[in-house]
Amino acid sequence: MTAKRFPMPNVFLCYARTDADTLDELIEQLATLKGLGVDPWSDQDIETGADWRDKIHAALDAADIAVLLISARFLNSKFIKEVELPPIAAGRADHRRACRGGPF
């Protein structure tokens, strides 16, 4: 009998650029879950020269879960409030995605 394989959840990591050290720590901790099928994504995964806005929108569309690294800088980020949070909130509202957040 073989174990049932579940699709790898795509995890969108949303953070303020000034909190990159905290993001690095989280990515290091999440690395242990890759073997279980967790696939975290942040803007650090965008290749040089790529259209970063398109990559962010594609990652948001593909995300099953959003992890929000909430800080004062996060809450004051115009880009986060206007570009990243609306699709995350919309996904939560229609129960297609789960949002997780907490102060770090």
Side-chain angles (χ1 to χ4, degrees):
M1 183 169 161
T2 60
K4 184 175 181 178
R5 304 271 315 168
F6 294 98
M8 184 180 307
N10 294 311
V11 180
F12 184 87
L13 304 176
C14 188
Y15 71 105
R17 300 285 297 196
T18 52
D19 294 328
D21 289 346
T22 304
L23 174 71
D24 292 340
E25 290 176 31
L26 177 61
I27 289 171
E28 184 177 335
Q29 292 172 10
L30 291 175
T32 61
L33 299 177
K34 280 202 173 209
L36 298 174
V38 175
D39 187 21
W41 186 94
S42 76
D43 62 356
Q44 293 181 350
D45 296 316
I46 299 173
E47 311 83 27
T48 302
D51 184 328
W52 58 272
R53 282 188 182 264
D54 284 347
K55 294 291 185 179
I56 289 172
H57 288 295
L60 281 165
D61 287 343
D64 299 305
I65 299 168
V67 176
L68 312 179
L69 299 177
I70 298 173
S71 68
R73 294 171 291 243
F74 175 95
L75 296 171
N76 288 314
S77 169
K78 182 177 177 181
F79 183 82
I80 290 171
K81 287 189 277 191
E82 293 180 1
V83 175
E84 294 180 334
L85 288 182
I88 291 169
R92 184 172 185 203
D94 69 12
H95 304 286
R96 288 181 295 131
R97 295 181 179 89
C99 282
R100 304 280 187 255
F104 291 94

